[in-house]
């Protein structure tokens, strides 16, 4: 008999913990003698990163044996070392309530909870169906309008202020490509809006038309400031996002509203908002006994940028697309909705639904692969997590 480490429940933080299994013949054959039959091998996550600590090491005894008798003499002994506990940053209660909050979703979905002050990953929950891999950690998706937090920072660095008036037409044409706002946007908003209102009501065209104000390298630098593209933390297999600084033309214009070739995971978008809430770039952490590694970025956030960003993202809740969260008890909520168009396997146009929200020392990112607008599908899930947390 041999003990096996198991998750608390089958659906407890898939992709974070990983698992141990007995070595197969193929494992043994491909190990160059390092793995023997009966050994435990890891499959991903914390278990893979901390395999030796969890499993321990076998003991060794070297014996001298007389060739013509059973006499044996010990020459050297190494005692076996038991496996030790490895502590993660996951919060058990928050993990379970995050899982419960997306229990009814029928497409790949995720809730990521992060503590801005420490970078600790508190929850990484997946929906119950359609999960061939942990989309919250390694999924690569267009972030849609949640990425406008990055675009807003890039604009601030070019001298635009929250009060700067921008044009928000119903449609805009860039290099022959036509773009429009979400069908749900109130037509009375089309016209001239200050940047704070552009962000609050998520006007696509206003930001697209600023593609000459912010070039792609500047947009990519703002993304780096907010944690996109950094190395995944030790013990966590994760995609931390990518923004190609070389994109031009319509690809650059589309990137201004979180589409084009911009790709992120729910974890990386949680890091974006955590960095804004924390006032400096946040590096996520999953192993509690490892010191958090401060993310080094070429252009750190300033206090003024932090204040302006928090103010504008608060406006999303008080006056904009996240107004359903305005009455959540506790500290003020800031956040951003997002919707990204994609073509499903049937060739039909579908929507990714996103929300990132922060309240006090908690950030929650919600993603539903096949949903409706961010405020419609992801918003109520975010509210439930905040209220129960």
């Amino acid at each position: 008999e041999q003990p096996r480490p198991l998750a608390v429940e089958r659906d407890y933080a898939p992709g974070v913990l990983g698992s141990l299994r007995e070595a197969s013949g193929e494992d043994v054959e491909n190990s160059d003698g390092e793995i023997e039959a009966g050994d435990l091998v890891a499959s991903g996550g914390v278990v893979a990163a901390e395999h030796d600590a969890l499993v321990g090491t076998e003991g060794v005894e070297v014996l001298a044996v007389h060739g013509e008798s059973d006499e044996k003499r010990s020459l050297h002994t190494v005692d076996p070392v038991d496996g030790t506990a490895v502590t993660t940053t996951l919060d058990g209660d928050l993990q379970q309530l995050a899982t419960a909050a997306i229990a009814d979703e029928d497409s790949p979905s995720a809730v990521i909870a992060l503590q801005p002050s420490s970078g600790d990953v508190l929850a990484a929950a997946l929906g119950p169906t359609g999960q061939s891999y942990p989309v919250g950690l390694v999924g690569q998706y267009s972030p849609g309008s949640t990425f406008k937090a990055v675009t807003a920072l890039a604009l601030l660095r070019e001298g635009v202020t929250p009060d700067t008036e921008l044009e928000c037409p119903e449609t805009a044409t860039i290099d022959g490509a036509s773009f429009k706002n979400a069908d749900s946007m109130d037509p009375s908003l089309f016209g001239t809006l200050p940047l704070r209102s552009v962000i609050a009501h998520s006007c696509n065209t206003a930001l697209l038309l600023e593609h000459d104000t912010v070039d792609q390298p500047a947009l990519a630098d703002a993304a780096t400031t907010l944690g996109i593209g950094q190395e995944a933390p030790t013990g966590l297999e994760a995609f931390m996002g990518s923004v190609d600084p070389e994109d031009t033309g319509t690809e650059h214009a589309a990137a201004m509203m979180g589409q084009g070739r911009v790709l992120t995971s729910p974890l990386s978008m949680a890091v974006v908002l955590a960095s804004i809430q924390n006032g400096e770039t946040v590096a996520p952490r999953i192993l509690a006994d490892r010191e958090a590694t401060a993310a080094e970025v070429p252009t750190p956030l300033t206090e003024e940028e932090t204040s302006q960003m928090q103010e504008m993202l608060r406006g999303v809740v008080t006056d904009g697309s996240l107004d359903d969260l305005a009455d959540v008890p506790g500290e003020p909520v800031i956040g951003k909705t997002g919707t990204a168009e994609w073509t499903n396997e049937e060739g039909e146009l579908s929507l990714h639904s996103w929300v990132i929200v922060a309240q006090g020392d908690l950030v929650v990112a919600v993603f539903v692969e096949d949903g409706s607008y961010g405020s419609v599908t992801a918003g109520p899930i975010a509210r439930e997590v905040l209220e129960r947390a």
Side-chain angles (χ1 to χ4, degrees), residues 22-239:
E22 192 166 321
S24 66
E26 185 178 357
D27 292 324
V28 175
E29 184 179 344
N30 296 333
S31 71
D32 293 328
E34 294 185 6
I35 298 175
E36 297 179 354
D39 285 352
L40 293 177
V41 295
S43 58
V46 170
V47 165
E50 297 294 294
H51 174 269
D52 291 345
L54 287 165
V55 173
T57 55
E58 294 183 348
V60 176
E61 186 175 16
V62 181
L63 301 174
V65 181
H66 193 281
E68 298 179 0
S69 72
D70 292 333
E71 180 185 350
K72 297 178 181 180
R73 180 165 54 92
S74 179
L75 299 179
H76 181 69
T77 301
V78 176
D79 292 331
V81 177
D82 287 338
T84 59
V86 172
T87 305
T88 73
T89 60
L90 293 175
D91 179 288
D93 292 338
L94 191 55
Q95 175 64 42
Q96 290 179 328
L97 75 85
T99 302
I102 52 172
D104 294 332
E105 291 305 318
D106 57 4
S107 77
S109 51
V111 173
I112 301 292
L114 201 67
Q115 185 176 47
S117 63
S118 63
D120 286 356
V121 178
L122 303 178
L126 295 184
T129 60
Q131 309 288 352
S132 59
Y133 57 94
V135 298
L137 303 176
V138 301
Q140 301 185 22
Y141 296 98
S142 296
S145 293
T146 57
F147 191 77
K148 289 174 183 173
V150 173
T151 307
L153 174 61
L155 286 167
L156 293 177
R157 290 176 169 177
E158 297 299 330
V160 178
T161 74
D163 295 318
T164 299
E165 297 284 338
L166 304 179
E167 291 301 316
C168 173
E170 183 176 359
T171 62
T173 300
I174 310 293
D175 289 349
S178 180
F179 298 88
K180 67 183 183 69
N181 286 292
D183 294 336
S184 60
M185 189 171 179
D186 184 349
S188 68
L189 295 168
F190 298 146
T192 302
L193 294 175
L195 176 61
R196 67 175 75 252
S197 297
V198 166
I199 298 302
H201 298 287
S202 207
C203 179
N204 292 337
T205 55
L207 298 182
L208 290 166
L209 292 173
E210 294 301 310
H211 68 282
D212 287 334
T213 304
V214 173
D215 61 20
Q216 188 71 6
L219 188 66
D221 183 62
T224 300
T225 295
L226 297 179
I228 289 179
Q230 64 180 290
E231 292 293 322
T234 301
L236 206 58
E237 295 179 13
F239 173 67

